[in-house]
Every structure is written in C-alpha cells, then in structure tokens.
Amino acid sequence: MKKTIAILAYLLLASTASAGDDPQQAIPARLKLMFERPDKPLDIAPVVVQGDWAIVGWRQDGRGGRALMKKTHHGWSVYLCSGNSLKDAGTLEKIGLSANDAAGLAARLKDAEAGLDSSVLALLSSFEGTVMMMNEASNGSGGGHEGHAQ
C-alpha cells in the first residue's frame, strides 16, 4: 500500500513538472501536493508568471502569504515565502531576478491583486519576514508554513 501511494505521489509530482504544463494549473497542483491537508484546504490565487519565476498568493487555515516560485528542471519549486516584500520589483531584483523579470512580476501581481477583496489582501500581507524554502521544496518536503506569524 505504501509503495502504491509513493508511486501515485511520484506520478502526480512528475505530471506537475512537465515542461508543457500550464503554470496556472501546475503551480497550484504542486503547492496543494506539498501543503494541503484534508482538514486544511489550500486556496491558491493569484498566480502570476514571468519567465521562470512566479508569485503566488496562498491562504490556509486562517493564514496567508505570498510565495516566490522558480521553475527548475524538476518543475515549479517554492523559492521563498514572504508577504508584501514580494510586491516590490527592487526587492525581487535583490533576491536575484533580472530587472525585466522583477518588473514584470511586480506589475502582473499588482494587476492580479487589484480586484481582490480587502480581507484576502490582508491575509496575503500577513506573512511576517521571509523564509527560504528552495532546498526544502526541491526535496519535496514541507508541511507547514513555519515562518508565518501565529
């Protein structure tokens, strides 16, 4: 039974890592695989993409934040989690994005979040600090949003 579950999880992960996948579907699927629990559904929105980078808003169990995602040869991985800092193109450049990718992501995020309810925006902004995740995410682990203020 464990072997069957492991195979199914691998197949799901492999399907989200396909180069032809639409990021609007692949990114939420990857995050749900990593973090969603039966008693704690994960809401993913918005998802904005620029090149090999994406910023994703997430809400779960009364908490929320934004994740910076990076597309690698394994598919989309969580690079880091943060809050409002991911809205700033200058911060994105300091993280290592090109000026073009940083500006594009910041502009797309602003547009995508313009129509969101103020309560949703408050949750996305509530994540305090920044938590690096690339090593954890690339290993497929992670289960909580440890850096989130309680």
Side-chain angles (χ1 to χ4, degrees), residues 87-144:
K87 294 168 56 172
D88 179 60
T91 298
L92 295 171
E93 280 188 71
K94 288 179 187 173
I95 291 169
L97 280 70
S98 70
N100 184 56
D101 286 345
L105 272 179
R108 284 183 169 88
L109 186 62
K110 182 178 180 180
D111 290 345
E113 291 185 352
L116 296 179
D117 185 82
S118 62
S119 64
V120 171
L121 288 173
L123 272 179
L124 298 180
S125 300
S126 69
F127 195 101
E128 296 178 7
T130 298
V131 177
M132 296 301 297
M133 301 284 290
M134 192 62 173
N135 288 338
E136 290 181 58
S138 61
N139 290 333
S141 67

Side-chain angles (χ1 to χ4, degrees), residues 9 14 35-36 58 62-63 68 74 85 127-129 148:
F35 297 110
E36 189 168 62
W58 62 267
R63 299 177 183 181
L68 178 65
H74 294 294
S85 65
F127 195 101
E128 296 178 7
H148 193 283

Side-chain angles (χ1 to χ4, degrees), residues 1-11:
M1 180 70 174
K2 287 183 180 180
K3 187 175 184 178
T4 302
I5 292 171
I7 291 170
L8 289 173
Y10 173 77
L11 291 174

